[in-house]
Amino acid sequence: MVYVKLTILLTVLGNLQRGHSDTTVASASTSYVNSSNEPTVDGSTVQYQTNWTTTDSNGGTTKPVTQNVMTTEASTPNPEGSPVILGKGTKVFASGANMSMVCEYNSSSMLTQSDIQKLKFYDKNGDEYDGTRNFMQSHSMISSNKIATTLTKESLGRPDAGTYQCRYDNQEAGKFLVTVAVVKFTTTPDEYNMTAGDKQTNTLKCNYVVEKEDSVTWDKEELMWSREDQPLSARHKANNSVLVIENTEWTDIGPYTCSAKLTWGGVGNPSSETVSTMVPLNGAPKIGKMDTSKNVVQEDDLEIKCDVTGYPYPSVTWKKDGQPLTPNKRITLSSADGKYTNAILNINNLEFEDKGEYTCNATNSVYPGGKTATIVIRVKDKLAALWPFLGIVAEVIVLCVIIFIYEKKRSREMEDEADGGDEVVNSDDHKGKDVRQRNIRT
């Protein structure tokens, strides 16, 4: 039966689309959480998983969208014929935050393409929330008899607090109401004094007021302090709206979270919301130890890190020989620790022209003067280590040649001396023989 309804629905939607080509619509998909497309229930939480595709005015379809809607108060789906705004009856937002609310309408009969535009949000006076007040309403079809409308607004303000109602076909009898409260924080940051060092005390302050309907009352209000990256230490003394940091260390700088927890509903039906804002302990940019010079080899890769800290998180600019460094295919800049923009300089396949003085300058919005550090880069020929070896080899060869020539010459001199001695001996022998021969004759 479910698949028959889906086939009929897709056929009807296709026919209606051809008759209403100037309207952006949503069409149901045949892929659901289960065969009946009922919501999955986990304790007191109801989750709707929806698959649908949007169709533009030219008939083209976009990518499928899977929508997950959570409500923490309802334990059963909304009744047939009545719109329901998912979530709690009272919603709390921080001023400046983005708001999003979802209203669903479940019909006992099949809904058509034109029906999805009938489910809308109105204020307590019955005026529709639209673009003139920077609100946006988007409509979607969840199943053949269920539609949804999402109301969104960026940067919520105190005037946006009040009663919100969802109606189908603008029917007063079937409206569903929620109240929206907006929390406006007032904060006082502090600054780490580099001169005072660890002997100083810093104080952060956080106060708030709530814009709401008079009918909304709080059973309890709490103000809490925390840090995202690490817990508060014993030196952090929180007293409601004030956080005192004793013997402040450099690692204490950064953002602190001030959270207001509001509880209502009484003992029988307690509910609570927590909204937060950031209170900074600012610190001027600081650059850690950096080498003053470095020798590198041609065609090697080089990484120079500007070891910067501070808050607000500083961004880094680089200069080479006093001129701004322009990134290219070989020279790239990247962030360090996901916080410090352009703090890492990478140069690939080094060339001789890359030698010079590199200066990093770290600044932030609070301390525009910033801090600088310089390193001298020397680029050596990739064969530089070979030249001394070749020199030694050449010296050895020359020495061997000299020795060879000397030994060759000496050997010839010795041979000549030997040949000269033999000739003298032979001459004497011949003279003696001649004498003896003459004596014999006489």
Side-chain angles (χ1 to χ4, degrees):
M1 185 62 181
V2 172
Y3 297 103
V4 174
K5 285 186 178 181
L6 290 174
T7 303
I8 295 173
L9 170 63
L10 294 174
T11 303
V12 171
L13 290 177
N15 294 333
L16 289 172
Q17 179 183 342
R18 288 190 289 271
H20 298 81
S21 60
D22 59 340
T23 305
T24 299
V25 302
S27 58
S29 167
T30 56
S31 176
Y32 291 116
V33 179
N34 48 45
S35 59
S36 61
N37 195 35
E38 292 296 327
T40 59
V41 180
D42 179 14
S44 61
T45 300
V46 178
Q47 179 178 2
Y48 296 91
Q49 293 180 327
T50 306
N51 298 311
W52 49 278
T53 58
T54 58
T55 306
D56 58 30
S57 58
N58 297 321
T61 58
T62 64
K63 294 181 179 179
V65 178
T66 300
Q67 180 181 3
N68 292 280
V69 182
M70 304 292 295
T71 173
T72 56
E73 284 191 339
S75 59
T76 57
N78 50 306
E80 293 184 354
S82 298
V84 170
I85 299 176
L86 302 182
K88 301 177 181 181
T90 299
K91 300 179 181 293
V92 182
F93 298 93
S95 179
N98 298 333
M99 182 189 74
S100 178
M101 288 194 294
V102 179
C103 178
E104 289 187 353
Y105 176 75
N106 190 24
S107 176
S108 58
S109 58
M110 184 178 295
L111 297 170
T112 64
Q113 169 188 337
S114 58
D115 292 330
I116 65 174
Q117 303 288 337
K118 296 180 181 179
L119 187 64
K120 296 180 179 180
F121 281 88
Y122 302 86
D123 61 20
K124 63 181 179 181
N125 299 320
D127 297 325
E128 181 182 343
Y129 285 107
D130 55 21
T132 60
R133 290 187 280 180
N134 298 319
F135 284 90
M136 184 179 72
Q137 299 198 43
S138 57
H139 310 275
S140 60
M141 179 170 283
I142 297 177
S143 66
S144 60
N145 62 344
K146 184 183 292 186
I147 58 178
T149 294
T150 302
L151 178 69
T152 58
K153 184 180 181 180
E154 296 181 354
S155 189
L156 208 65
R158 292 179 63 182
D160 298 316
T163 300
Y164 288 68
Q165 53 180 308
C166 180
R167 301 180 186 178
Y168 178 74
D169 204 16
N170 203 13
Q171 297 176 4
E172 175 71 19
K175 66 183 180 182
F176 190 93
L177 304 178
V178 296
T179 56
V180 170
V182 178
V183 179
K184 172 65 176 178
F185 287 97
T186 303
T187 62
T188 304
D190 202 355
E191 176 181 345
Y192 181 89
N193 189 318
M194 301 290 286
T195 304
D198 297 347
K199 301 300 181 181
Q200 62 188 295
T201 297
N202 294 97
T203 303
L204 305 179
K205 297 180 180 180
C206 175
N207 293 281
Y208 69 92
V209 294
V210 183
E211 189 72 28
K212 61 180 181 60
E213 294 281 6
D214 293 337
S215 58
V216 177
T217 58
W218 312 121
D219 297 333
K220 186 178 182 181
E221 298 183 43
E222 298 177 82
L223 199 60
M224 302 168 290
W225 292 88
S226 62
R227 293 188 73 178
E228 293 182 358
D229 54 347
Q230 55 185 297
L232 298 181
S233 70
R235 296 179 293 101
H236 296 74
K237 312 294 185 182
N239 183 14
N240 200 19
S241 63
V242 178
L243 175 65
V244 177
I245 308 173
E246 299 175 347
N247 299 321
T248 309
E249 299 176 357
W250 176 251
T251 55
D252 291 325
I253 68 168
Y256 289 77
T257 301
C258 170
S259 302
K261 182 179 180 181
L262 307 175
T263 304
W264 69 94
V267 179
N269 188 28
S271 294
S272 66
E273 288 282 358
T274 301
V275 292
S276 304
T277 191
M278 188 272 292
V279 187
L281 175 59
N282 297 319
K286 179 180 177 182
I287 299 178
K289 186 177 180 180
M290 189 172 178
D291 293 335
T292 57
S293 64
K294 188 174 185 179
N295 297 326
V296 292
V297 179
Q298 180 190 14
E299 295 185 359
D300 280 355
D301 295 336
L302 172 66
E303 178 182 287
I304 307 174
K305 182 177 180 180
C306 191
D307 189 17
V308 61
T309 53
Y311 194 84
Y313 299 123
S315 60
V316 177
T317 56
W318 291 86
K319 290 184 178 181
K320 179 180 179 292
D321 297 329
Q323 299 299 319
L325 184 64
T326 303
N328 54 38
K329 291 182 179 180
R330 292 191 309 108
I331 302 175
T332 58
L333 301 174
S334 58
S335 298
D337 303 326
K339 301 175 182 178
Y340 307 105
T341 306
N342 297 335
I344 300 177
L345 168 63
N346 288 281
I347 305 178
N348 297 324
N349 194 22
L350 281 162
E351 300 176 357
F352 285 115
E353 64 185 27
D354 294 322
K355 65 181 180 179
E357 288 187 352
Y358 289 82
T359 302
C360 67
N361 182 33
T363 61
N364 59 26
S365 57
V366 180
Y367 309 95
K371 197 76 173 178
T372 61
T374 300
I375 182 173
V376 177
I377 299 299
R378 302 182 184 91
V379 180
K380 294 183 176 181
D381 189 339
K382 61 181 179 180
L383 301 178
L386 184 61
W387 297 128
F389 173 76
L390 294 177
I392 294 173
V393 171
E395 290 178 357
V396 171
I397 292 174
V398 171
L399 183 60
C400 290
V401 170
I402 292 173
I403 293 174
F404 176 78
I405 294 174
Y406 173 77
E407 292 294 334
K408 186 74 174 176
K409 183 178 179 180
R410 185 170 178 273
S411 176
R412 287 178 180 177
E413 290 177 350
M414 293 178 66
E415 289 179 357
D416 291 342
E417 290 177 357
D419 292 342
D422 292 342
E423 290 177 357
V424 172
V425 172
N426 291 337
S427 176
D428 294 340
D429 291 343
H430 287 303
K431 289 180 179 180
K433 289 180 179 180
D434 291 341
V435 171
R436 286 193 293 270
Q437 289 177 356
R438 283 196 298 268
N439 290 334
I440 293 173
R441 289 174 185 175
T442 57

